[in-house]
Amino acid sequence: MISRLWAKLGKSSSNAAEPLAADNVPKHIAIIMDGNGRWAKKRGLPRIAGHHTGMKTVKRIVMEADRLGVKYLTLYAFSTENWKRPKDEVEFLMKLPQQFLEIELAELIEKNVQVRMMGHKENLPSFTLSAVEEAITKTAHNTGLVLNFALNYGGRREMLEAIKEIAADVQDGRLSTEQIDEQLLSSRLLSGDIPDPDLLIRTSGELRLSNFMLWQLAYSEMWFTNVYWPEFNEAHLQEAIQEYQRRARRYGGL
Ligand code: IPE
Ligand code: IPE
Ligand code: MG
């Protein structure tokens, strides 16, 4: 109970050294990488410094997730609502994928990582999209960790677009209403064939979804920490997985 509480508060739990059960590592971890701005502010730095350091955390966490045997890692990098931010900040954020991939793509390829993107392609600057698409193409045949970037992603918009697509299929006779089931809707979402997240992590102390994977998170375990994303590290990820391994997933059953 106490260690559970500590884990929730993001302090290192007394069980931090407890080994992970290799047979119960979440297959899919989704992370809302939050708190870059506050991390920077706390240090008297501009917000973009937080985003820059947050990019280094991405690298560390990708490598650690891969090492631990996670199969899918989805990272919320930019939401459909983040366009509301000041132009300078949006511009900086749009340059990050290219910067990240310039530095890391070679190692991702070497590690057999497959890069994917989950998001709305319109509105993304061409240099952002082309950097991501190049990484997707170059890693398409890799069979290791699937690194799924949620970029210009919005859960409600994703569902609306899937529903419109399905409605058009029904209207044109390609589908009957009876064929619309959970599996069909899931397959039409931007996450496509990626299974639902087993574990959702959100950093920075906010306890909300912020329009992230609203359909897919229906039965995910959630873990929140007060730690800001730029200071999130391998030990925090292990702590989240340890907590996940202590949970009983019932899916409404007994
Ligand atoms: C997360 O950090 C990064 C993005 C949302 C792009 P924030 O920029 O939201 O940082 P805070 O929440 O303002 O501290
Ligand atoms: C969610 O964080 C989006 C990403 C981490 C990319 P925000 O910082 O945008 O969420 P709110 O505004 O606090 O809900
Ligand atoms: Mg935030």
Side-chain angles (χ1 to χ4, degrees), residues 5-26:
L5 192 64
W6 279 110
K8 273 192 187 130
L9 292 172
K11 305 271 165 55
S12 62
S13 100
S14 53
N15 294 324
E18 194 182 290
L20 294 177
D23 59 350
N24 189 22
V25 170

Side-chain angles (χ1 to χ4, degrees), residues 33-38 47 51 77 82 85 89 93:
M33 310 184 287
D34 198 15
N36 292 350
R38 279 164 286 166
R47 291 179 56 84
H51 298 315
N82 288 146
R85 295 189 178 196
E89 183 170 341
L93 288 167

Side-chain angles (χ1 to χ4, degrees), residues 151-164:
L151 191 59
N152 194 23
Y153 173 87
R156 287 189 169 183
R157 178 158 163 201
E158 168 189 51
M159 279 197 261
L160 277 179
E161 286 180 3
I163 290 164
K164 282 185 191 165

Side-chain angles (χ1 to χ4, degrees), residues 123-180:
N123 311 330
L124 285 177
S126 56
F127 59 86
T128 310
L129 195 57
S130 60
V132 176
E133 283 180 337
E134 184 196 333
I136 293 171
T137 309
K138 288 192 171 160
T139 63
H141 299 294
N142 288 354
T143 54
L145 174 77
V146 173
L147 173 56
N148 184 32
F149 284 107
L151 191 59
N152 194 23
Y153 173 87
R156 287 189 169 183
R157 178 158 163 201
E158 168 189 51
M159 279 197 261
L160 277 179
E161 286 180 3
I163 290 164
K164 282 185 191 165
E165 197 187 289
I166 292 169
D169 282 351
V170 171
Q171 205 164 30
D172 299 344
R174 288 186 296 268
L175 265 183
S176 70
T177 313
E178 291 67 40
Q179 285 173 297
I180 305 171

Side-chain angles (χ1 to χ4, degrees), residues 162 166 175 178-189 191-194 196 215:
I166 292 169
L175 265 183
E178 291 67 40
Q179 285 173 297
I180 305 171
D181 58 12
E182 291 190 7
Q183 205 190 335
L184 178 86
L185 182 56
S186 290
S187 72
R188 299 293 182 101
L189 298 176
S191 44
D193 61 353
I194 297 178
D196 292 342
W215 170 274

Side-chain angles (χ1 to χ4, degrees), residues 38-85:
R38 279 164 286 166
W39 178 89
K41 191 175 173 199
K42 207 171 75 178
R43 284 164 178 74
L45 298 168
R47 291 179 56 84
I48 56 170
H51 298 315
H52 181 78
T53 306
M55 188 170 76
K56 301 194 169 159
T57 306
V58 169
K59 160 79 187 293
R60 292 175 66 163
I61 295 309
V62 169
M63 294 305 158
E64 181 65 0
D66 181 46
R67 193 185 72 82
L68 294 172
V70 173
K71 182 64 192 145
Y72 300 90
L73 180 67
T74 296
L75 300 177
Y76 203 7
F78 193 90
S79 77
T80 46
E81 287 70 36
N82 288 146
W83 296 106
K84 294 177 196 160
R85 295 189 178 196

